[in-house]
Amino acid sequence: MTLPDSARQLFSVYREFIRETRYLPHAHLRHYYRIKASDDVRAIVETKDCKGLGRRKLKRFTKELATVKAAIQGSTPAFTHVLDVAYGRKGKLRWELIQPLLTDPKVKKPPPIIPAVEKSRPPVYPKELAALLTSPASRSTRKALTPEDLETPPTLPSRADPTSEDSKLLGPLSKRREVNIRWRFFTQEAAKVYPPLEVQAKMFSNTPADASPVTIREARIRGFGFQEQGLLEDIHGIVGREKQGLRPVTRRELQAMKKIGQAPSPPAARHPSRWLRRRYQQLLGKIPQVTYTYQSGKDGRYGVSLSNQSLAVSVVPVHQYGEVDSAALAWYNKAELEDSQKPDTGKKRKK
């Protein structure tokens, strides 16, 4: 049985795609793109319109293969795209990760805005989603909302309030329009949020500073994303968790440290490729870390932050300096020693 040309082309591209995934630098990338290639091929085969929609899907699949090839060869935009797709920063996986956060079965439904119309209930913001929306660390636009915005959307006209002047002059706002505005605001703002990969729980007795990590079962909260799969730990393993020792010590720095009797800091465990570490640091800038902190016997609250190893230029303040490592401290001590040994000529330095 001979296959048509389009089928032979599809399976040829699929085999090449599977071969190329072997060269991706991380196990999660290889595993994800194998599954993605299988799903894409299955979707192309099941397409009824082979000449129209089927050809467009095949073209998109071939373009994705070219992007993976470019990423393996060291293209920064292509590898950034591969990371964003594989970790749910864009594409279908992003929607699948954010979907469970849009609802909370434990929250009581609000009353409908239009009486006797079940579909007119306003949207409910779960605690996890509210924390993400009100934090700039989790938003692609970096403009966080306020808790008041969740109660009353900024896009809602003042006529929605029956006691406002506009409502008295122009009449009250249509209830159907109010429902549509609230749901449209909910959908648009939720689409601007980067979904977290997991949630961490901490419990404290006296102060939050003394909080210790616990499991989500002990905290009695729900998990989401890639909970307990260690994806975030793998990323930190590539980047390196410790700030000290990230830069290798040069020969001159090592000599200066030996003169003052200071030992160099041991290098942190990390991936040897600096280019790859930078790409994963940029990825960490798009992965919000959600932490649930609570006191024993009381309800807690969700907090959102970014990893201290992430590269998020729009979030990190401009005048933020890193910690002084042993190499920089050795240079500082050497400069002070040289300045103290210089003879005082009595001349004042010109300003």
Side-chain angles (χ1 to χ4, degrees):
M1 179 180 178
T2 58
L3 295 174
D5 294 339
S6 59
R8 286 199 298 268
Q9 181 185 0
L10 173 61
F11 290 117
S12 175
V13 175
Y14 173 69
R15 288 192 297 268
E16 186 178 2
F17 204 121
I18 296 299
R19 286 195 301 267
E20 292 296 330
T21 56
R22 301 172 185 173
Y23 301 102
L24 290 171
H26 192 257
H28 174 70
L29 299 180
R30 296 190 291 269
H31 180 68
Y32 174 82
Y33 269 94
R34 288 194 191 104
I35 297 176
K36 186 179 186 305
S38 301
D39 293 343
D40 291 346
V41 170
R42 190 176 295 108
I44 295 173
V45 171
E46 294 176 355
T47 303
K48 296 181 180 179
D49 185 10
C50 299
K51 295 183 179 180
L53 182 60
R55 286 186 178 274
R56 290 195 296 270
K57 288 184 178 181
L58 178 58
K59 184 178 180 181
R60 192 183 306 118
F61 184 60
T62 307
K63 185 178 179 181
E64 191 70 21
L65 172 61
T67 304
V68 173
K69 284 184 176 181
I72 295 172
Q73 294 174 0
S75 172
T76 299
F79 194 80
T80 302
H81 171 80
V82 168
L83 289 179
D84 289 344
V85 173
Y87 287 92
R89 305 305 96 185
K90 64 167 63 172
K92 182 181 178 181
L93 183 59
R94 176 176 180 174
W95 173 251
E96 292 176 351
L97 291 177
I98 200 66
Q99 184 68 23
L101 302 178
L102 302 180
T103 57
D104 190 355
K106 297 182 180 180
V107 178
K108 185 180 179 181
K109 294 182 179 180
I113 297 177
I114 304 175
V117 179
E118 185 67 21
K119 293 184 178 180
S120 66
R121 296 181 185 272
V124 178
Y125 293 87
K127 293 182 179 180
E128 305 94 333
L129 181 62
L132 293 170
L133 290 173
T134 55
S135 173
S138 60
R139 295 174 61 85
S140 57
T141 57
R142 303 304 181 192
K143 185 178 180 182
L145 300 177
T146 61
E148 291 76 16
D149 293 336
L150 304 183
E151 294 291 336
T152 305
T155 56
L156 190 65
S158 58
R159 292 170 55 195
D161 184 8
T163 61
S164 64
E165 292 294 333
D166 291 344
S167 178
K168 295 177 181 179
L169 293 175
L170 305 175
L173 185 69
S174 170
K175 296 296 183 181
R176 173 54 59 188
R177 187 182 173 194
E178 180 181 353
V179 173
N180 295 339
I181 290 174
R182 288 183 178 274
W183 275 102
R184 188 180 299 113
F185 179 78
F186 175 82
T187 305
Q188 291 176 350
E189 295 301 322
K192 300 176 183 178
V193 170
Y194 285 125
L197 297 182
E198 60 183 24
V199 59
Q200 299 175 354
K202 293 183 178 181
M203 184 185 69
F204 65 93
S205 300
N206 299 323
T207 59
D210 302 331
S212 58
V214 295
T215 62
I216 59 174
R217 292 184 179 180
E218 294 174 345
R220 296 182 179 181
I221 58 174
R222 60 174 179 171
F224 44 79
F226 296 94
Q227 191 72 34
E228 298 180 354
Q229 295 189 19
L231 281 187
L232 203 57
E233 291 294 330
D234 292 343
I235 297 175
H236 281 108
I238 294 174
V239 175
R241 278 193 173 275
E242 299 294 334
K243 284 189 174 181
Q244 296 182 355
L246 288 180
R247 182 173 59 85
V249 181
T250 62
R251 186 182 304 173
R252 293 183 61 186
E253 291 173 343
L254 186 60
Q255 292 175 357
M257 294 169 68
K258 287 181 178 179
K259 288 183 179 180
I260 62 175
Q262 189 174 9
S265 301
R270 56 179 184 175
H271 196 277
S273 173
R274 181 179 181 272
W275 179 85
L276 190 68
R277 294 197 306 269
R278 297 283 289 185
R279 305 289 78 77
Y280 275 92
Q281 282 181 301
Q282 292 176 350
L283 175 65
L284 284 176
K286 304 175 186 177
I287 300 179
Q289 296 184 2
V290 179
T291 306
Y292 179 76
T293 308
Y294 72 101
Q295 192 173 7
S296 180
K298 297 182 180 179
D299 293 336
R301 57 177 300 180
Y302 287 90
V304 182
S305 62
L306 288 177
S307 172
N308 57 356
Q309 296 297 330
S310 64
L311 290 180
V313 180
S314 58
V315 176
V316 179
V318 178
H319 301 290
Q320 181 174 354
Y321 301 96
E323 297 179 1
V324 179
D325 56 1
S326 57
L329 186 61
W331 277 105
Y332 178 77
N333 294 334
K334 181 183 178 183
E336 275 195 340
L337 181 62
E338 291 178 353
D339 290 343
S340 62
Q341 293 176 354
K342 289 181 180 179
D344 189 7
T345 58
K347 295 182 180 180
K348 294 183 178 180
R349 184 178 296 177
K350 295 182 179 180
K351 295 183 179 179

